[in-house]
Structure formats: C-alpha cells, structure tokens
Amino acid sequence: MKNVRLGSIPSYSAKPFVPMAKPIPHTDFPMENPGVADEFSLRLALKTGCYRLTYQPNGGFINFAGTLRVDKWKSVTTISGDLYRRRRPLEGLPHLPEGLLSRLGIPIYGVNTYYSYLKGTSLKIVAKSGFTIGKIEITADEYVYTPPPAGAFSGTFDAVPTRTVVMILKTAAAPAGFSAPCFEGKLYVGGVEKGSVLLGWVSSSFRKATVEIDTLVGSVVPAEVPSPAGGALEGFKSAYATAGWDVRTIYDQIGIPVPAGVNPTTCWSDANLHQLMLANRSATTSLDKEWRAHLLIVPGVMGCSRGKMYDSIGVPREGAMTYSNDGYPATDSAWFGTAANQQARNIPRAFMRTAIHEIGHAFNLIHQFFAGEGGSDNSIMTTTPEVADFLQGPATGAPGIFPDNIALSFNDHCRRDLIHLPDIVVRPGGISFLGGSHSGIPEADFDALSGALELKMEPASQRLLLGEPLRVRWTVTNKSKNPIKVPCDINPPGQHAFLSVQNPQGQLRIAPSFVIATEHQRLIDLKAGKSVSGETRLFWSTNGFAFEGPGRHVVNLEILWGVGTEAFGLKAAEEIWVDYPVLARDNDMAATLFNTDVGKFVALGGSTHIDGALESFKRAMDMTPEAADAGPTALRGFDGILPKR
C-alpha cells in the first residue's frame, strides 16, 4: 500500500441515495367534519391501487404524466408516485398529455423522460355529507431525478426533497381511460398555485411487467405448480401478485439450437450467455413501451449456481438466466430433503422459485441475508439454500419441509420495495443494479473485525499505460483463533466486493460488476488461518472507464456483509499511477481502446460477438510494433483475453 489513508477514501457503504415512501401514521388523517362519516369509510373512498396522475403547470410547453400508488396494507397507508416529462399538446383535453387516452390501465412512459419521485407524507380527507368525499389533500416530497452523464446508466436523486407539493382535489367524473374514483384539482407549492392535476384510479395492481422466457434445446421450461394448500396453480403471475404487480409471462422460443463451439452441459461463460440473449430476445422489445425482462433457460450442470442476472445488455437489468440441470447439491444445504443432489428440472416447485427469483434481481431486488434486507426467510428473494435451512434448520424451529413447502411469494420487505421504490430503480432499463432497497441499510462497521480478519489487495502492477486494464486480486484471511462468518464468494458479481477509483482530481467513480451472480451466496465459517479470494480486471463499468486520464489514482476495495442486523466491512486501497503518453502511438492506442464495446468485452471476460471491440483490437494491433525493444503498449493489460492477430 502506498501513501493511502483508508479513512480519506469515501466508503461505498454510503450507497447512492434513493427516496422511499413510508407509511403515513393514522394520526396524519385529520377529519374536518368529524361525525359526518366515520374515518374508515372515508379512507375506503380513496381506493387502493394505481392511479394515473397528470399535472399541467401554469404556462410553458411541458406537462407531466405518471402514476400515484395508494397502498393500504396491514392497517397502514403508503403513497408514492412518479412523474415523466411530456410535451404539451396544442389541442385536446387540458389535463391529458397527447396519446394518453389510447393507453388504458397502468401507463408506461419512456425511460429517458423520467422526471421525479413523489414520497407521500400526509393525507387529509374532508367529508362533504354522509359517506361522500368533499376533497382530499395529498402532501408529498418531490425528488427530481438528475439523468446520468453520457456513457453511464445511473442518474441520481438529491438526499433532500427538491420541493414539497400539496395536491388539493375534489371528486370528478372519470374521463375516457380512467375508472372511478377520479379526482381533479390544483397543485400548490408553499401555498402558491402551480398548476392543474387529474388523478384517476386505473388498476388494483400497482405496477405491470412482462417476462419473456426462451429455452435452449436440452433444457426445460419452468412450469406452474400446484399450491401446497390446493387450488389454483402458482407461478410468475401469482408470485408477483403478492407484491401488487401484474406480470404476464411469454414462453417465446423453446428448443433454441446450441451455439457453435459451446458445450451446453457445463457452466456457461458470461460471454456465451450474453451472446445467446442478444440473439434470441424479442427484436420488437421496447423498454419505453413496456417493462420487460428476459429469462434464458440453459442446461448447465450441477454446481453452476442455479442462475444469474445481467446488469447490462446495452441497458441495465434487462435479462437473467437459470440452469435447468443445476440444482440442489447436498454441499449447499443439509436440509434439501428429497431434492438433495437432484437437478432443478426434476423439482418443479424449486425450479419455478429460482426462475421467479432471478427475475427479481432484474427488478433490483437482492437477497434477504444482506445487511438491511430483513434476514433470510421462506420467500422469493432468500437464496435456495437459505430457504431450505429456514424451513428445517434447528436454529429456527420453523415447521416445513423442502421443497414441498417452498413459499412462492414475496415478503413484506420486498413487497414494499417493488411497490414504492422509484420507477427508475425497479423498471428494466432504469438505473444499474443497486444491491438493496437503500432504505434503512446500516452503516458497515469497519473496526469490529480489525485484527481478526486481514484484507490484502494485490494489483498486478502499480503503473499502467493509458488505456490499459488493471488486473487485481484480493484475499481475506482469518488471523484469529476462532471461525468468523464471511461471504463464501468475494468476487464482484457476488455483490460483497465493491471497487471504486479516485482520479487525480479527487473524484470517486464506483465500478459495479457487469454481471450479478448471487444465487450461490451464503455466509460460511472461515476457520482460523483460512482464506477466501476474489479478483477482477478493472477497466470499464456502467459508470464509465476506471482510468480515463494520466496521473495518480487510488483503487479502493471494500468487502461488505451482514450477520443478522449487523453490517461488517473490510477496506483496502492501493495507489496506481497511469503514465502520461510519450509517443503519438500511445495517444492513438488509448483513443482506440477507450471504447464502450471494448469495455463490455473485458467485463465479459473476452468474447467474439462484440464487433466493435474486435475492430478496436485490430486497429490497436496494427499500430503495435513487432520489434522486441519497442516497449510495451496498453494491450498488455488484455493478456489472456486478447483476440488472436
């Protein structure tokens, strides 16, 4: 380690801020006419579900459309919403943006038009007579979203509200495209009228999405399964209905041919999976017109980790995959019961659970044993081994048996996230994978295990040429005399190891993993003297290039995990110097390699299907001298994945 003070590096555990609506206490439902109607009846008039929301400011050429979600769940009410920018029509209904009437039900708007999140803070209901609402008053904190810079996927919300808005509404006749109840009125900021609002109920579901499933030859489709209690079949639709979503499933292609040069009955490389998804997802998919996730089923083999989610296929969180021939090795859990050492294709309920789980990652959900997520239980976003341990583990004493009593449902924590996180966080094509709800996540304790665990980071070199990737490896070793619980996998896709780079100007750039592979994750007892290791090739991420210019950089590594409600962390940092270009060739080489396609090539561990990367490498090779004494070029950092000349 060279001249790096760990405390001076901002911590990744201070994750990007994401606003989240909270339940509104019943004391915040004041009644202006007590005794005219009982409070419960009046609240029923503001029906639970999704409302189409339109806001037309006074003057200007832009108006806003979106949704407002009124969620009455277990004796509490939570209100959240999202707004999108719309060009104001020259003619037509004053409240309704152009084209809105043609889309019934829950509306979908373009990703790049996302504007703000509404966090409901209070609700006031005024009775006019009997059980009739005279008006409602909804107060919300508005958080305006700053779009990402060019070349990145994720924008930001400010940690404090942009403004507080108050919508004062009265009942109105429902226009075309709306259902009762419907309300219209004005929006105020600081007591000043800012524009007109129309709010109309459209669905008892809060959000809607489509899952497209493609199946490779030699694998099987995850099918709906009978409920343990009898009655209707369970699958994607019923599982996501427990979180208030309306999800339809399209079983698109079955029996897709195996790509040339690929062994389908082994663990697939990220590059081969990426290529297969690009070739087979629906060509008509538009994430501006529907929330759509792609699930690919391939054979694989036992021990491949059941599934993974891709952070980017041109846009964030569009696709995931699962293996039908992986399954439930007894080494993962002692409580797999009759499923032990069976393939997933032979255990339909557990197989369906994994498929639903992987798509949950595409909607930005993470496992329940991560810090701040509520702990493992019998629900969709708990890993399969943890579900088995929970059902039959001696520590819980919970009744049940794996796989028959697997619950195909989301717990309250995930339900809240799926309903009330901002659209841009949960919708495919929105921001990159965050790894958690970011609401109530405890700050990691970096001192609790100091001396007991040692984190050592070893970069392949302390100096880089401009445009060169950095290979880096790290090891966590137990220096104590007792076992310590740590993650079993500390490679970046496992979502416990996080890298960031501080450039010469002091700006910090987080480098998230391109691929999310967490189904195999669990905490293990690391014995005295034993180690776990991880590695990566640091070059490009969905936030851009790690080393964009010459000078002093600091690579910051954090390992984060939770045990129960406690969050722990380890830090390491290394100074890396990026050389200034000396020859014209050095500049030309860097300009050629700083290409997003080259970045994706590296993130996938090398591939032959990203044409832009292959073209860039050809140009770089053409400008590389053959003479032995010509000196190294930035191509040396691609050793092991560089295409042949």
Side-chain angles (χ1 to χ4, degrees):
M1 195 182 302
K2 295 186 176 181
N3 302 320
V4 177
R5 290 187 301 109
L6 294 181
S8 67
I9 305 298
S11 173
Y12 185 89
S13 60
K15 293 184 178 182
F17 172 77
V18 172
M20 167 71 87
K22 297 180 179 180
I24 300 171
H26 283 182
T27 54
D28 290 350
F29 290 110
M31 307 300 299
E32 281 194 1
N33 294 330
V36 175
D38 68 271
E39 189 176 338
F40 176 74
S41 297
L42 285 175
R43 284 193 202 131
L44 285 179
L46 187 61
K47 196 171 173 181
T48 189
C50 178
Y51 289 74
R52 183 175 290 163
L53 172 64
T54 66
Y55 164 53
Q56 182 167 296
N58 298 327
F61 298 98
I62 300 295
N63 57 17
F64 301 90
T67 58
L68 192 77
R69 296 169 293 277
V70 178
D71 177 21
K72 300 175 183 180
W73 180 253
K74 295 187 176 180
S75 302
V76 297
T77 298
T78 306
I79 297 176
S80 65
D82 297 273
L83 289 175
Y84 294 78
R85 297 183 305 277
R86 307 282 292 177
R87 185 175 296 173
R88 180 170 294 182
L90 297 178
E91 299 177 353
L93 294 171
H95 294 293
L96 299 178
E98 184 178 5
L100 186 60
L101 289 177
S102 64
R103 296 193 302 275
L104 303 179
I106 301 173
I108 304 294
Y109 303 101
V111 177
N112 293 332
T113 65
Y114 186 78
Y115 179 72
S116 67
Y117 177 75
L118 299 176
K119 175 183 176 180
T121 58
S122 72
L123 172 65
K124 182 177 181 180
I125 303 173
V126 181
K128 183 169 63 176
S129 63
F131 296 107
T132 303
I133 286 182
K135 64 180 180 178
I136 61 173
E137 182 177 307
I138 299 173
T139 303
D141 288 337
E142 183 178 26
Y143 294 82
V144 173
Y145 178 71
T146 301
F153 291 153
S154 299
T156 57
F157 291 98
D158 288 336
V160 295
T162 307
R163 63 179 185 173
T164 297
V165 301
V166 179
M167 292 175 280
I168 299 180
L169 309 167
K170 62 181 181 179
T171 56
F178 290 81
S179 300
C182 191
F183 306 90
E184 64 181 1
K186 302 293 184 180
L187 183 143
Y188 298 84
V189 176
V192 178
E193 180 195 325
K194 295 296 183 179
S196 301
V197 173
L198 181 64
L199 183 67
W201 186 91
V202 291
S203 176
S204 58
S205 298
F206 299 98
R207 283 167 163 153
K208 67 178 181 180
T210 298
V211 177
E212 174 192 344
I213 301 178
D214 287 333
T215 307
L216 197 78
V217 66
S219 56
V220 299
V221 175
E224 290 188 320
V225 294
S227 166
L233 295 176
E234 294 181 310
F236 278 93
K237 189 171 187 65
S238 63
Y240 279 93
T242 66
W245 280 43
D246 178 9
V247 170
R248 70 179 184 125
T249 307
I250 298 175
Y251 291 92
D252 191 18
Q253 301 181 73
I254 298 175
I256 297 172
V258 177
V262 175
N263 180 357
T265 56
T266 189
C267 299
W268 285 52
S269 71
D270 295 336
N272 287 337
L273 288 168
H274 184 270
Q275 182 176 9
L276 191 64
M277 285 189 174
L278 287 179
N280 290 283
R281 61 181 176 174
S282 174
T284 61
T285 296
S286 171
L287 297 183
D288 288 331
K289 296 180 180 179
E290 64 176 336
W291 293 17
R292 190 181 185 101
H294 180 267
L295 181 66
L296 183 65
I297 314 295
V298 300
V301 70
M302 195 74 75
C304 289
S305 158
R306 284 175 286 276
K308 63 177 69 174
M309 189 274 290
Y310 287 85
D311 189 36
S312 173
I313 312 176
V315 297
R317 298 179 291 100
E318 189 178 4
M321 61 77 58
T322 187
Y323 293 102
S324 67
N325 294 3
D326 194 354
Y328 317 103
T331 52
D332 279 4
S333 172
W335 302 101
F336 278 147
T338 58
N341 298 317
Q342 291 285 319
Q343 293 179 336
R345 63 191 298 160
N346 298 324
I347 312 294
R349 189 167 189 83
F351 189 26
M352 172 57 77
R353 182 195 175 283
T354 296
I356 298 169
H357 173 104
E358 295 304 330
I359 290 299
H361 290 315
F363 298 138
N364 226 328
L365 296 179
I366 193 66
H367 296 156
Q368 297 306 283
F369 65 73
F370 280 77
E373 293 300 308
S376 296
D377 57 10
N378 184 16
S379 70
I380 291 295
M381 294 315 298
T382 296
T383 65
T384 297
E386 295 278 341
V387 167
D389 292 351
F390 180 86
L391 285 174
Q392 294 197 18
T396 66
I401 184 169
F402 187 97
D404 295 341
N405 285 351
I406 290 173
L408 296 183
S409 60
F410 291 93
N411 63 18
D412 287 357
H413 181 90
C414 290
R415 179 189 182 278
R416 177 205 63 185
D417 289 355
L418 284 170
I419 295 172
H420 294 296
L421 279 172
D423 277 4
I424 203 70
V425 174
V426 295
R427 67 181 295 173
I431 65 176
S432 297
F433 189 71
L434 291 175
S437 65
H438 293 247
S439 56
I441 296 179
E443 187 76 14
D445 189 336
F446 290 98
D447 298 320
L449 298 173
S450 177
L453 291 177
E454 176 189 66
L455 172 60
K456 186 176 182 181
M457 181 166 58
E458 299 175 299
S461 175
Q462 302 289 157
R463 295 184 64 174
L464 296 177
L465 298 173
L466 192 61
E468 179 183 5
L470 174 68
R471 300 186 74 166
V472 59
R473 179 178 173 82
W474 51 89
T475 303
V476 172
T477 303
N478 185 353
K479 294 291 188 178
S480 76
K481 297 180 180 179
N482 300 308
I484 300 176
K485 285 195 176 296
V486 300
C488 69
D489 179 3
I490 57 171
N491 288 290
Q495 293 299 291
H496 286 289
F498 302 98
L499 289 138
S500 60
V501 178
Q502 190 175 39
N503 68 16
Q505 291 74 45
Q507 299 166 325
L508 190 74
R509 175 166 291 175
I510 296 170
S513 175
F514 187 79
V515 172
I516 310 301
T518 54
E519 172 59 16
H520 64 296
Q521 277 288 22
R522 65 187 190 281
L523 296 179
I524 60 172
D525 287 319
L526 187 65
K527 295 180 180 179
K530 298 297 183 180
S531 302
V532 289
S533 298
E535 61 183 339
T536 193
R537 198 180 305 242
L538 190 57
F539 181 62
W540 172 89
S541 74
T542 53
N543 287 330
F545 290 93
F547 308 100
E548 286 189 321
R552 177 185 179 272
H553 295 71
V554 175
V555 176
N556 183 43
L557 169 68
E558 294 185 13
I559 311 294
L560 304 172
W561 71 100
V563 179
T565 59
E566 299 296 322
F568 299 99
L570 300 171
K571 280 185 179 183
E574 287 284 339
E575 179 182 305
I576 304 296
W577 181 266
V578 179
D579 288 345
Y580 285 82
V582 176
L583 305 173
R585 180 197 71 188
D586 299 334
N587 274 318
D588 293 342
M589 183 76 70
T592 300
L593 297 175
F594 281 139
N595 177 296
T596 300
D597 280 349
V598 174
K600 291 181 180 179
F601 177 96
V602 174
L604 290 169
S607 180
T608 59
H609 71 282
I610 304 178
D611 294 337
L614 301 181
E615 293 170 4
S616 294
F617 284 128
K618 183 180 183 303
R619 290 195 300 271
M621 291 175 184
D622 288 344
M623 65 180 74
T624 303
E626 296 288 350
D629 60 351
T633 70
L635 286 176
R636 70 182 179 183
F638 299 89
D639 182 50
I641 59 173
L642 192 66
K644 295 180 180 179
R645 284 182 181 270

